[in-house]
Amino acid sequence: MTSEVSCLCGSVKLALHGEPIHQFYCHCDDCQAVHGAAYIGVMLYPEDQVEHLSGETDTWVYKNNPRTRCRQCGTILYAEPPGAPWKGVKANLLPPGQFKPSHHLQCQFAVLPVVDDLPHLKGFPAMFGGSDEEMPW
């Protein structure tokens, strides 16, 4: 399966090959500051499965994570956590119905509790070296 996504102005196009390895909502303070949002949807893809098809991009680092955005409209496309073999693609760029998150993470930084049926992890899940500890909401 291959999905094509683009920035908001359409000048940058990416091809996402295969299935994401993980899907979640991130509440970390880094994402909050960079995106101007309480949390964002993220789909992790192996780095070699995110193909840059067209358009010019810029990459910058706020705290730790290099982030790539469209040079024309500024849409943030993905983040590349240092030392990780994947790219975190912003879920809002994907076609409707493709984002199926399994949990929220980094909820210790949550602006407000989110009420839904997903687990709300205080930090990272065990699969990322965390504890799977949930928030007591």
Side-chain angles (χ1 to χ4, degrees):
M1 178 178 120
T2 298
S3 297
E4 190 173 297
V5 298
S6 66
C7 62
L8 297 178
C9 75
S11 67
V12 175
K13 293 191 181 356
L14 304 174
L16 307 174
H17 301 287
E19 296 292 326
I21 56 176
H22 206 64
Q23 303 179 53
F24 56 88
Y25 289 109
C26 183
H27 294 258
C28 79
D29 55 349
D30 191 51
C31 284
Q32 289 174 10
V34 169
H35 299 282
Y39 58 95
I40 64 163
V42 178
M43 294 179 73
L44 291 183
Y45 281 87
E47 59 190 343
D48 63 348
Q49 291 181 343
V50 178
E51 178 185 4
H52 186 138
L53 300 174
S54 65
E56 295 182 22
T57 61
D58 288 319
T59 300
W60 88 104
V61 175
Y62 170 58
K63 288 184 181 177
N64 299 312
N65 295 321
R67 295 176 192 271
T68 298
R69 65 179 166 205
C70 170
R71 190 174 285 174
Q72 294 293 319
C73 68
T75 300
I76 299 170
L77 304 162
Y78 56 83
E80 298 177 83
W86 55 69
K87 292 182 180 183
V89 178
K90 283 192 62 192
N92 68 307
L93 302 176
L94 299 158
Q98 281 195 352
F99 182 55
K100 296 180 173 107
S102 61
H103 62 273
H104 294 255
L105 58 74
Q106 292 291 16
C107 292
Q108 64 189 330
F109 299 106
V111 175
L112 292 169
V114 174
V115 179
D116 62 20
D117 294 332
L118 299 174
H120 296 85
L121 306 179
K122 185 173 184 177
F124 288 109
M127 70 183 304
F128 296 151
S131 67
D132 282 342
E133 179 184 354
E134 291 193 35
M135 292 297 289
W137 298 337

